[in-house]
């Protein structure tokens, strides 16, 4: 009888494990699908010579495409290079194939740029997808339950900023992946304290790689040190035991960082100059608490923000295992980014938010049936709202981009021989040429302003107040020029914007394209199309 019961119990466990495995595979596939769906934004441009849709991608793509020359000649280290080096694992084999004579003859002229662009984006898609598994694993390790872990994994694929950014060749999603890995490994090792010793080498290596992905990952170091000291002291260990383990962690972190970012040693002056530039940019920003909170509201979306706040309240009330670690990781991130926070920087801690939500889902409320019903109904409603918002953002990524809208408007209303001038933030003197619409070669030719183009397509930051801004020392425009290395202020440039704003020249506005209100990173600048009037 006992053997039969054991057999039935083993069968139930096997069935339960199979269901969990299938559910996790489904969530991983879902996470891959939504990230892959955002990967083709901006692809289909007729040339990459006039700029990318997202301004940060060239820092990653150009390094990968030009490797190994770029390894020795790189001078812009505002982005650390661990992500680029990881993407080379995907790109180099494909590059060798593309350079075969038979393959090269069959490819279009800009295939190498397009290929590097897509391969880098796909590599980031894979990292974003892998984050889903580490969130699941961390929540299961903390709670011992598969259900809450599946909820955390699902939530990781619902934050719109994190999902859409995972389809870009940028470093925010790779750093989120590394933070998830570091946190999971810490949770594994923390359960073995005080016996664990050499395991801190491995955790230090991961922390060093994380810093090599993005410098702001330095917040991981203090958080880990405090957590390790706290856990060892709670276990009754002496400082003589703790100090060597901290040394293992610190030395492994430094060595791993130098391995993935060797330029910090042999091109130190350039690294220092890049960091000084970034610090200067951060110091020039004037943020209020409202701006700061808006970054989180935007990055998580309103339903995700409400869901996270509810999870934080539950965790603060019940204080389950792992809450202190989550809190410390998050607090140090906030301290590091407090002055220069942007919406996309919050992507870094989305795994921690998903883990917190998963842990909160594991808190038992059986003693209070009303609270249990409210949490279940409210949770499902918020998850549904998150999913709907994600779908809207995926659609809006393509349909509501201001450059795409302007392109469609011009193509639908003007013949291909119509001449265009792009009143951009910067001109031919700039390193990178930005155009606010993308047409096939030979269509809608670009001409200088002096030749009186048929259309002017202009950026319109606070368009109605342009004249006021210019009269107020032009500080807004000078700031933008300085941030994007654009041309010095010129009288002609200012006069053009004044005349467009006040309608004192021969051009009249025919189309205004504002940015979408959806939480989409970099949906383009507000644009306006002006048509030359015949007199």
């Amino acid at each position: 009888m006992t053997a039969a019961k054991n057999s039935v119990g083993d069968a139930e466990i096997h069935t339960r494990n199979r269901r969990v495995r299938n559910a996790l595979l489904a969530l991983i596939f879902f996470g891959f699908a939504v990230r892959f769906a955002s990967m083709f934004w901006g692809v289909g441009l007729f040339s990459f010579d006039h700029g990318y849709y997202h301004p940060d991608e060239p820092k990653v793509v150009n390094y990968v495409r030009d490797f190994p020359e770029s390894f020795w000649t790189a001078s812009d280290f505002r982005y650390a290079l661990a992500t680029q080096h990881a993407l080379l694992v995907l790109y180099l084999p494909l590059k060798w194939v593309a350079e075969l004579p038979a393959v090269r003859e069959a490819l279009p002229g800009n295939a190498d740029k397009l290929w590097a662009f897509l391969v880098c984006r796909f590599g980031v898609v894979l990292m974003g997808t892998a984050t889903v598994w580490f969130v699941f694993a961390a929540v299961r390790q903390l709670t011992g339950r598969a259900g809450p872990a599946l909820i955390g994994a699902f939530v990781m694929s619902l934050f719109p900023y994190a999902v859409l950014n995972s389809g870009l060749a940028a470093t925010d999603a790779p750093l989120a992946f590394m933070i998830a890995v570091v946190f999971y490994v810490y949770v594994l090792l923390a359960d073995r304290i005080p016996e664990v010793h050499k395991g801190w080498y491995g955790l230090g290596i991961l922390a060093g790689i994380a810093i090599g992905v993005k410098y702001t990952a330095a917040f991981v170091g203090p958080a880990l040190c405090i957590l390790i000291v706290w856990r060892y002291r709670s276990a009754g260990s002496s400082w003589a035991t703790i100090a060597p383990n901290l040394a293992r962690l610190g030395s492994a972190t430094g060595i791993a960082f130098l391995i993935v970012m060797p330029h910090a040693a042999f091109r130190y002056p350039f690294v220092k100059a890049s960091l000084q530039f970034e610090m200067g940019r951060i110091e020039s920003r004037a943020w209020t608490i409202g701006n700061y909170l808006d970054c989180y509201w935007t990055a998580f979306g309103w339903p995700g923000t409400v869901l996270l706040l509810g999870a934080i309240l539950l965790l603060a009330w019940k204080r389950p295992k792992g809450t202190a670690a989550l809190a410390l990781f998050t607090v140090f991130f906030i301290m590091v980014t407090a002055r220069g926070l942007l919406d996309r920087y919050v992507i870094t801690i989305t795994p921690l938010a998903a883990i917190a939500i998963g842990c909160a889902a594991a808190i038992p409320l059986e003693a209070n049936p009303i609270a249990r019903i409210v949490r279940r109904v409210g949770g499902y409603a918020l998850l549904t709202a998150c999913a709907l918002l994600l779908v809207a953002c995926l659609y809006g990524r393509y349909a509501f981009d201001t450059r795409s809208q302007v392109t469609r408007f011009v193509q639908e209303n003007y013949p291909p021989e119509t001449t265009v001038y792009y009143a951009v933030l910067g001109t031919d003197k700039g390193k990178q040429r930005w155009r606010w619409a993308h047409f096939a070669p030979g269509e809608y030719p670009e001409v200088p302003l002096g030749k009186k183009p048929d259309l002017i397509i202009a950026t319109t930051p606070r368009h109605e107040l342009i004249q006021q801004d210019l009269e107020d020392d032009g500080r807004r425009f000078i700031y933008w020029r300085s941030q994007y290395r654009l041309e010095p202020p010129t009288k002609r440039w200012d006069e053009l914007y004044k005349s467009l704003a006040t309608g004192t020249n021969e051009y009249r506005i025919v189309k205004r394209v504002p940015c979408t209100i959806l939480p989409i990173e970099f949906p383009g600048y507000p644009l306006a199309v002006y048509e030359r009037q015949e007199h």
Side-chain angles (χ1 to χ4, degrees):
M1 182 66 70
T2 302
K5 288 183 178 180
N6 290 337
S7 177
V8 172
D10 291 342
E12 291 178 352
I13 293 174
H14 177 73
T15 301
R16 189 183 308 116
N17 290 339
R18 186 177 68 251
R19 290 174 179 172
V20 170
R21 183 173 61 251
N22 292 341
L24 178 59
L25 289 175
L27 290 176
I28 291 175
F29 177 79
F30 171 76
F32 173 80
V34 293
R35 288 168 173 83
F36 186 78
S38 68
M39 194 184 88
F40 298 94
W41 171 61
V43 174
L45 307 185
F46 295 100
S47 171
F48 288 100
D49 294 332
H50 56 244
Y52 295 70
Y53 259 25
H54 192 286
D56 290 341
E57 290 187 286
K59 298 182 183 70
V60 174
V61 176
N62 291 342
Y63 181 91
V64 172
R65 191 186 72 226
D66 298 336
F67 189 86
E69 292 81 5
S70 58
F71 181 86
W72 304 105
T73 61
S75 58
D76 185 354
F77 296 103
R78 288 176 290 168
Y79 274 22
L81 298 178
T83 300
Q84 292 88 313
H85 292 153
L87 293 175
L88 286 169
V89 176
L90 277 178
Y91 177 70
L92 288 180
L94 297 172
K95 180 182 180 182
W96 293 330
V97 172
E99 288 178 348
L100 295 174
V103 177
R104 177 170 288 277
E105 291 177 3
L107 295 175
N110 67 338
D112 60 330
K113 296 180 181 180
L114 177 61
W115 197 242
F117 186 73
L118 290 176
V119 170
C120 289
R121 281 190 171 187
F122 184 71
V124 177
V125 167
L126 295 179
M127 295 182 200
T129 304
T131 308
V132 175
W133 186 89
F134 280 99
V135 168
F136 169 86
V139 176
R140 190 167 193 177
Q141 183 69 24
L142 288 169
T143 65
R145 296 171 58 186
L150 291 172
I151 292 175
F154 182 46
V155 169
M156 188 60 219
S157 292
L158 292 183
F159 293 132
Y161 246 59
V163 169
L164 269 59
N165 189 274
S166 294
L168 300 175
T171 58
D172 300 291
L175 180 55
F177 164 69
M178 287 306 305
I179 294 304
V181 175
V182 169
F183 184 81
Y184 171 61
V185 173
Y186 163 76
V187 171
L188 287 179
L189 294 176
D191 284 342
R192 296 167 49 197
I193 288 176
E195 288 78 13
V196 61
H197 297 292
K198 294 183 179 179
W200 302 122
Y201 284 123
L203 187 60
I205 290 172
L206 293 173
I209 295 173
I211 299 173
V213 171
K214 201 165 185 177
Y215 302 120
T216 49
F219 77 86
V220 168
L224 287 176
C225 290
I226 292 175
L227 289 168
I228 290 171
V229 171
W230 171 55
R231 292 300 292 263
Y232 271 106
R233 295 296 290 176
S234 299
S237 300
S238 65
W239 284 102
T241 302
I242 298 173
N245 290 318
L246 293 178
R248 293 183 180 99
L249 178 72
S251 60
T253 299
I255 293 172
F257 172 73
L258 289 175
I259 289 175
V260 298
M261 181 68 183
H263 304 75
F266 77 89
R267 290 183 73 81
Y268 173 74
F270 292 98
V271 175
K272 180 182 177 181
S274 297
L275 291 176
Q276 287 175 337
F277 176 87
E278 282 296 292
M279 293 302 298
R281 183 179 68 86
I282 290 172
E283 290 298 321
S284 69
R285 301 179 66 87
W287 280 95
T288 64
I289 294 297
N291 298 133
Y292 195 78
L293 296 177
D294 184 64
C295 288
Y296 288 90
W297 180 265
T298 302
F300 292 124
W302 72 262
T305 303
V306 174
L307 193 63
L308 178 59
L309 288 175
I312 292 173
L313 291 174
L314 277 174
L315 292 175
W317 175 29
K318 293 290 186 177
R319 299 179 182 177
K321 175 184 172 185
T323 302
L326 282 168
L328 266 178
F329 268 64
T330 307
V331 165
F332 274 99
F333 168 80
I334 292 173
M335 290 172 62
V336 170
T337 61
R339 185 60 187 268
L341 187 69
L342 296 174
D343 299 338
R344 65 177 177 272
Y345 295 171
V346 182
I347 295 168
T348 300
I349 59 171
T350 48
L352 303 180
I355 292 170
I357 293 171
C359 290
I363 296 176
L365 295 176
E366 285 75 8
N368 191 332
I370 296 178
R372 184 172 67 249
I373 293 173
V374 170
R375 183 178 70 167
R376 181 168 297 179
V377 173
Y380 285 140
L382 288 172
L383 288 175
T384 302
C386 286
L388 293 175
L389 180 61
L390 175 63
V391 172
C393 290
L394 285 172
Y395 175 77
R397 168 60 94 190
Y398 294 92
F400 300 151
D401 189 284
T402 57
R403 292 150 290 192
S404 300
Q405 293 186 67
V406 167
T407 301
R408 290 194 297 269
F409 172 79
V410 173
Q411 290 173 333
E412 292 170 359
N413 293 277
Y414 299 94
E417 61 273 12
T418 302
T419 57
V420 176
Y421 174 76
Y422 299 97
V424 298
L425 298 177
T427 62
D428 296 324
K429 296 179 182 179
K431 275 190 168 184
Q432 192 170 29
R433 194 73 173 114
W434 295 100
R435 294 186 176 92
W436 304 123
H438 302 291
F439 306 111
E443 295 184 356
Y444 305 97
E446 182 180 2
V447 298
L449 183 63
K451 292 189 175 182
K452 296 187 179 298
D454 300 314
L455 298 176
I456 292 178
I457 302 174
T459 53
T460 58
R462 285 180 61 195
H463 181 81
E464 294 79 3
L465 300 178
I466 281 179
Q467 187 174 11
Q468 176 183 330
D469 287 338
L470 290 169
E471 292 172 353
D472 186 22
D473 300 327
R475 282 177 292 188
R476 168 176 290 268
F477 297 105
I478 292 171
Y479 168 80
W480 280 104
R481 293 182 189 121
S482 67
Q483 294 307 302
Y484 292 100
R485 298 189 219 169
L486 306 171
E487 66 168 7
T490 62
K491 182 177 179 181
R492 191 184 76 165
W493 191 85
D494 289 344
E495 289 297 330
L496 170 63
Y497 268 91
K498 282 184 180 180
S499 61
L500 290 177
T502 57
T504 56
N505 62 12
E506 57 191 303
Y507 289 90
R508 297 294 178 268
I509 189 168
V510 293
K511 179 69 173 178
R512 191 187 302 277
V513 183
C515 293
T516 179
I517 62 173
L518 290 171
I520 297 174
E521 182 197 0
F522 208 80
Y525 292 106
L527 299 177
V529 181
Y530 298 84
E531 180 181 328
R532 184 163 61 88
Q533 305 296 307
E534 299 292 343
H535 296 288

